Amino acid sequence: QVQLVESGGGSVQAGGSLRLSCVASGYTNSRGCMGWFRQAPGKEREGVAIIDRYGSTNYADSVTGRFIISQDNARNTLYLQMNSLKPEDSGMYYCAAEVWTTACRRASPTSFRYWGRGTQVTVSS
């Protein structure tokens, strides 16, 4: 019923930028929390950035100052602007959503109910 579709991934040189988008559909409940997660091969999925229904945001220490999460509620779209990309930013990026705002207290994958299928980001140096 709920579908999240990511786009905007690709290959970029270190120092470059990418903008990821996530379009939500089939979703009638309010979105208490949405976030971006990433996972590199052989590593656990980690929270990158989250935003709640009020616009409050939190970022992983590794991306603070470089990434910006935002949402366009009218378009049911979540964005992740990624600047000054580093090779260690490479991975599969997933969009996630949860009805309850409590999910935004910590960017844990287990707190999010709905997931997109991911978009690949590769940063080369």
Side-chain angles (χ1 to χ4, degrees):
Q1 185 176 21
V2 175
Q3 181 175 248
L4 303 175
V5 180
E6 304 96 335
S7 63
S11 181
V12 65
Q13 293 285 327
S17 298
L18 285 173
R19 189 194 193 198
L20 306 183
S21 299
C22 171
V23 179
S25 61
Y27 193 55
T28 58
N29 293 315
S30 61
R31 291 181 292 276
C33 185
M34 298 192 72
W36 290 96
F37 295 77
R38 67 187 181 191
Q39 187 169 22
K43 294 187 177 181
E44 295 183 354
R45 188 171 300 185
E46 63 175 345
V48 176
I50 53 175
I51 184 168
D52 69 12
R53 60 177 294 177
Y54 309 107
S56 296
T57 60
N58 279 293
Y59 299 89
D61 290 341
S62 60
V63 307
T64 296
R66 298 187 297 119
F67 290 11
I68 301 173
I69 187 172
S70 62
Q71 59 190 355
D72 185 340
N73 290 327
R75 297 175 60 190
N76 294 319
T77 303
L78 180 74
Y79 302 98
L80 184 66
Q81 179 66 47
M82 304 186 294
N83 301 315
S84 301
L85 283 163
K86 305 174 181 179
E88 51 263 45
D89 294 319
S90 297
M92 185 71 72
Y93 281 69
Y94 299 92
C95 172
E98 173 56 46
V99 172
W100 311 115
T101 58
T102 53
C104 275
R105 296 197 298 181
R106 185 176 67 178
S108 173
T110 60
S111 298
F112 290 78
R113 187 180 309 178
Y114 307 108
W115 292 85
R117 300 187 69 176
T119 184
Q120 182 68 42
V121 172
T122 302
V123 184
S124 59
S125 179

